[in-house]
Amino acid sequence: MKIAIRAGAISPFLERGLRLARGLRFRLTLSYVLFFSVLLVAIGLFFRQTLRSEMNGDEQALLEEEWGAAKGYMRIENQRPVWVADSTDPEEAYIVDRLRHIYLLTDANGYVLENSETYDSIGEDSPQEIARILGLPKPEVHIRRDKKGIPYLIKAGAVRDEQNQLYFFALGRSLEGNERTVSGFTRTYFLLLPAMIALTSVAGWLLAGRSIRPLDSVAHAAQEITGVNLSTQIPNRGANDELDNLIDSFNLMTRRLSQSFEQIRQFSTDVSHELRTPLTAIRGQLEVALFTAETTEQYREAMVNALEDVEKLSSIVRALLLLSQAESGQLVLQKTPLNLASVAADVVDQFQIPAEEKGLTLTALLDEGTLALADRTQIERMLSNLLSNAVKYTPKGGSINVRVGLDPEHTGWVRIVVEDTGVGIAPENLPHIFDRFFRVRNPQTNKIEGLGLGLSFVSWIVSAHGGDIHVESSPGKGSRFDIRRPAAPVAPQTATEPAPESVTP
Ligand code: ADP
């Protein structure tokens, strides 16, 4: 029997809980609840303190009044307090009675002359304390607690009898009522607090859900996007907020992906088409050799034709391989200090014979001080592709001109121009001429051989050297390929051999 133990297996319930706890909604709610809990506790404590000090302030104002009244109603005669109140006036009697509720009178040494029962439970002031208070310029107000812990507001200070003898007098008011109100408030508030936090949590959960709902819809829309509907765009909510920003960036990304997918699709179609043509031709030639050829001459002709097509096929594959190596970064440029004029002179020389054969004039104006840090092989390939096109697409009697020199408009840049008086390119085709396998299809160019890869190479070589290429062309008049790129920071003597000032046929 086999017993399978799943390492780290957790119950689906726990797993769901963990996923929820890690979720943005939960974390948003948690921070919201934490923030509000701290705020509610702080508000409660603040109100509690405010309530207490407000009520104690009222109590102190009453104590001040009573202090004044006590000094009016009490006289000290023969070291004894005498409370003078009109015994026929019940109100006065009540006031004096009230004043005598919490009080203490001692002589300057702390010997108690009279005190109330309540003051007794608070505890008499020590002689040191009495001496301290008697030494103060003004009476002092402080809080003291009795044996049961009930707080009292006490005002204590010096009073004098008619012989100007000093006595210690203390008068108090109970703060028990205030304390009860404050603790009642505290109890109710903090009992209600969990309910308020629970309410805040529910509100926070709902609010967090509401704020991340658009995220869910974006995620949902993103999940719907596959390789076949990459052009699908997530609708922008028009709020112009961070989420809209994210949606726009996402849409931009899918647009770019869609374009890349489209290019790959187009490329596959083009490659298969380009490969099929010579393959069909080879197959045709082989069929001729197999089924219809009778003489050695006919066999030979079929084989030669098949070989030509094989050659064409392998040149397509070679070019494709090189282009893909270039574009994937595998083809590393071997940059050396180069005299561009000298390189151009060599390439122009190679094209003199084909140009002459076609009845074309090929001229060059090359500034020998045109130095650049560049890959010689690639620069030669670039010039040779441009010149081969110029020769191919310029009818008999036309002219081709190559110019290499410093760029007068951009200091520190060099410029290579190849122009011809050929068939030109229609404006609608111009944006596509650098695409792989793109060839202009018209009666003038249909018979001209080509793979549609030459300008793709030119484009890659220019950008790999940090330059840019600009094309101007008008059908029937000619084309001009204008390349600009930064010059090399090299000294003239480090460059390869100097080029002639100009080369003419
Ligand atoms: P191809 O092998 O067809 O020449 P390229 O990539 O070099 O491929 O060029 C792409 C297309 O651009 C050509 O098919 C041609 O129609 C057009 N083209 C390129 N250079 C010239 C030029 N100098 N004059 C006219 N058309 C040109």
Side-chain angles (χ1 to χ4, degrees):
M1 194 178 79
K2 238 179 163 184
I3 301 169
I5 300 171
R6 268 200 302 144
I10 45 172
S11 77
F13 182 73
L14 189 65
E15 202 178 306
R16 237 184 109 213
L18 279 175
R19 203 174 328 120
L20 193 76
R22 277 197 297 263
L24 186 60
R25 187 175 187 181
F26 181 81
R27 278 187 282 163
L28 270 178
T29 312
L30 193 69
S31 22
Y32 185 75
V33 169
L34 278 178
F35 172 74
F36 270 94
S37 305
V38 171
L39 194 71
L40 285 173
V41 168
I43 289 175
L45 293 178
F46 173 76
F47 274 114
R48 180 173 182 263
Q49 194 50 38
T50 312
L51 185 68
R52 176 179 276 151
S53 48
E54 282 286 319
M55 291 203 307
N56 287 359
D58 289 350
E59 215 59 55
Q60 189 171 345
L62 288 171
L63 185 63
E64 296 290 347
E65 274 177 29
E66 286 181 355
W67 179 266
K71 281 174 97 176
Y73 286 116
M74 187 190 71
R75 272 205 319 268
I76 303 168
E77 288 174 7
N78 301 324
Q79 302 220 325
R80 294 239 74 84
V82 178
W83 293 89
V84 269
D86 184 354
S87 52
T88 57
D89 185 346
E91 200 180 328
E92 234 177 60
Y94 171 77
I95 292 171
V96 169
D97 206 40
R98 176 95 191 75
L99 293 176
R100 295 178 66 190
H101 189 52
I102 307 165
Y103 93 104
L104 168 73
L105 182 71
T106 73
D107 66 9
N109 299 321
Y111 177 73
V112 179
L113 302 179
E114 193 171 71
N115 68 345
S116 66
E117 209 176 299
T118 317
Y119 208 99
D120 227 14
S121 75
I122 297 171
E124 284 148 17
D125 303 66
S126 65
Q128 292 82 5
E129 177 68 359
I130 289 172
R132 183 185 72 79
I133 289 174
L134 288 180
L136 295 174
K138 277 202 297 183
E140 185 192 76
V141 178
H142 54 261
I143 291 175
R144 287 186 50 197
R145 292 181 183 270
D146 68 5
K147 287 170 195 145
K148 291 185 207 150
I150 298 169
Y152 291 87
L153 195 64
I154 307 287
K155 178 161 179 162
V159 286
R160 290 177 188 275
D161 64 6
E162 278 169 356
Q163 285 78 43
N164 206 21
Q165 196 158 342
L166 199 62
Y167 294 90
F168 171 79
F169 180 57
L171 195 68
R173 278 186 74 84
S174 165
L175 294 176
E176 192 183 1
N178 291 4
E179 279 302 291
R180 244 199 321 270
T181 313
V182 170
S183 43
F185 165 79
T186 314
R187 208 174 316 114
T188 319
Y189 187 86
F190 284 95
L191 270 177
L192 279 177
L193 194 65
M196 291 195 277
I197 292 176
L199 253 172
T200 311
S201 313
V202 174
W205 183 255
L206 294 177
L207 275 175
R210 218 179 120 94
S211 19
I212 63 167
R213 197 173 309 141
L215 266 183
D216 281 344
S217 63
V218 171
H220 188 72
Q223 276 161 13
E224 299 285 294
I225 296 174
T226 61
V228 283
N229 65 349
L230 255 182
S231 53
T232 310
Q233 298 279 288
I234 301 172
N236 186 308
R237 299 168 313 131
N240 212 8
D241 56 4
E242 291 85 352
L243 202 66
D244 270 355
N245 207 351
L246 180 76
I247 293 174
D248 288 345
S249 313
F250 186 83
N251 283 342
L252 198 71
M253 184 189 80
T254 52
R255 258 203 303 279
R256 281 204 219 104
L257 274 178
S258 170
Q259 276 167 9
S260 304
F261 267 54
E262 191 42 50
Q263 273 174 7
I264 292 169
R265 249 197 297 271
Q266 188 59 42
F267 179 65
S268 319
T269 317
D270 291 345
V271 170
S272 29
H273 177 79
E274 292 299 320
L275 295 181
R276 209 172 42 227
T277 317
L279 271 175
T280 318
I282 294 167
R283 187 197 168 115
Q285 301 302 338
L286 292 178
E287 277 172 359
V288 167
L290 261 179
F291 305 120
T292 53
E294 284 165 359
T295 62
T296 320
E297 202 47 46
Q298 283 168 335
Y299 274 118
R300 217 183 133 70
E301 198 188 327
M303 286 302 148
V304 168
N305 288 343
L307 200 64
E308 270 173 16
D309 287 318
V310 167
E311 194 46 52
K312 188 174 176 192
L313 202 62
S314 58
S315 76
I316 295 178
V317 173
R318 247 196 331 268
L320 274 176
L321 202 66
L322 203 64
L323 201 58
S324 87
Q325 276 176 346
E327 289 180 353
S328 66
Q330 288 172 38
L331 196 72
V332 183
L333 291 185
Q334 305 294 326
K335 286 189 187 174
T336 50
L338 218 62
N339 187 326
L340 290 181
S342 156
V343 178
D346 288 350
V347 180
V348 168
D349 273 350
Q350 287 165 24
F351 278 89
Q352 285 300 349
I353 294 171
E356 259 172 47
E357 278 174 2
K358 223 186 146 187
L360 305 173
T361 320
L362 172 57
T363 56
L365 191 65
L366 310 170
D367 178 353
E368 68 173 286
T370 318
L371 307 171
L373 202 60
D375 184 321
R376 186 178 186 112
T377 318
Q378 301 308 336
I379 295 291
E380 279 174 353
R381 191 193 300 275
M382 177 190 88
L383 282 165
S384 133
N385 285 1
L386 288 173
L387 274 170
S388 125
N389 278 350
V391 172
K392 274 198 296 188
Y393 300 107
T394 307
K396 192 175 175 189
S399 63
I400 301 165
N401 181 249
V402 179
R403 268 179 290 141
V404 174
L406 294 175
D407 186 353
E409 289 160 35
H410 280 82
T411 328
W413 282 53
V414 295
R415 194 169 173 192
I416 300 169
V417 180
V418 177
E419 56 187 342
D420 60 57
T421 56
V423 294
I425 305 159
E428 67 273 18
N429 292 322
L430 264 185
H432 307 290
I433 57 169
F434 294 105
D435 296 349
R436 276 179 282 200
F437 293 117
F438 178 82
R439 303 207 67 220
V440 175
R441 308 276 172 206
N442 65 30
Q444 272 176 303
T445 58
N446 273 354
K447 286 199 190 86
I448 300 171
E449 292 227 330
L451 296 175
L453 292 174
L455 287 185
S456 303
F457 269 113
V458 171
S459 162
W460 174 77
I461 294 166
V462 172
S463 63
H465 281 87
D468 54 59
I469 182 163
H470 179 74
V471 188
E472 275 172 30
S473 187
S474 36
K477 287 191 179 155
S479 313
R480 191 158 87 123
F481 290 80
D482 193 344
I483 294 156
R484 293 156 197 256
R485 54 147 301 175
V490 289
Q493 62 267 31
T494 56
T496 49
E497 81 272 16
E501 196 41 22
S502 66
V503 180
T504 41

